Amino acid sequence: MLLVRIRTILVLISTLYMKMNFLPILRNLVSTYQAFERYSAPHIKAMGLTTTQFDVVATLGNQLPMTCKELGDKTLVTKGTLTGVLERLEAKGLITRQTNIEDARSQLIGLTQEGQAIFEKVFPEHLEHLNAAFKKLPPKELKRLEESLKLLKDIF
């Protein structure tokens, strides 16, 4: 009797797992992100920035100043995190904040001359660092990955 129950439970678990065939995809997605971070983050850190600071500097580089909301939308950094990052970048002299004349409730964030110089140095260097990894894949495979990731994003 116990063996029948155990077998029934195993069949139910197996059936449930088969219906959740996305779990291996999630595992691979997370481990891919972790591998990317292990490759990318040390390079950014060696340039004197955190990954979030780099993201902000890269987003502001060669752009007109933008609001915190616009910056948050473009970087996908949450408002709470962005506030601290902006404070640290301002303390380093890399960004400026000015009152938005179109909406006095918000500020416009832009790079200082020093911030722009940092952008012009670190951004191309990091792109080359990433290119060293991505060039291992043929262009067709990169395009296929891009389309698959977009498809995955769009289901949510």
Side-chain angles (χ1 to χ4, degrees):
M1 186 68 161
L2 181 61
L3 234 64
V4 172
R5 280 186 167 162
I6 292 173
R7 193 173 312 165
T8 304
I9 291 171
L10 289 175
V11 168
L12 286 172
I13 290 171
S14 176
T15 303
L16 181 61
Y17 181 76
M18 289 174 65
K19 289 180 181 179
M20 294 186 182
N21 58 354
F22 60 88
L23 293 175
I25 294 168
L26 289 178
R27 180 171 172 69
N28 281 313
L29 187 61
V30 169
S31 66
T32 299
Y33 174 76
Q34 290 169 336
F36 175 82
E37 281 296 303
R38 282 191 305 272
Y39 181 78
S40 176
H43 186 254
I44 290 170
K45 187 175 183 180
M47 295 186 287
L49 297 170
T50 66
T51 53
T52 309
Q53 289 172 342
F54 175 84
D55 194 8
V56 169
V57 169
T59 302
L60 291 171
N62 292 330
Q63 300 292 316
L64 294 173
M66 60 185 76
T67 66
C68 284
K69 180 177 180 353
E70 292 169 324
L71 188 56
D73 290 345
K74 290 183 180 193
T75 60
L76 303 178
V77 176
T78 63
K79 185 178 179 182
T81 301
L82 189 58
T83 300
V85 170
L86 293 177
E87 287 171 358
R88 286 183 283 288
L89 287 172
E90 188 173 32
K92 288 183 171 190
L94 301 181
I95 65 161
T96 61
R97 300 182 202 221
Q98 50 191 304
T99 302
N100 183 354
I101 58 172
E102 294 177 12
D103 181 358
R105 296 170 297 172
S106 69
Q107 295 178 326
L108 293 174
I109 312 299
L111 292 179
T112 61
Q113 285 183 337
E114 183 180 351
Q116 183 64 30
I118 293 287
F119 165 76
E120 290 171 5
K121 178 187 181 316
V122 300
F123 189 69
E125 283 182 24
H126 195 60
L127 287 182
E128 279 303 314
H129 180 70
L130 295 178
N131 188 49
F134 280 102
K135 73 180 181 185
K136 295 174 184 174
L137 296 173
K140 268 185 157 178
E141 187 64 24
L142 286 171
K143 186 65 176 168
R144 191 179 73 74
L145 282 168
E146 178 186 354
E147 290 167 356
S148 294
L149 288 169
K150 184 183 182 324
L151 182 66
L152 183 60
K153 179 188 69 133
D154 289 347
I155 67 170
F156 297 105

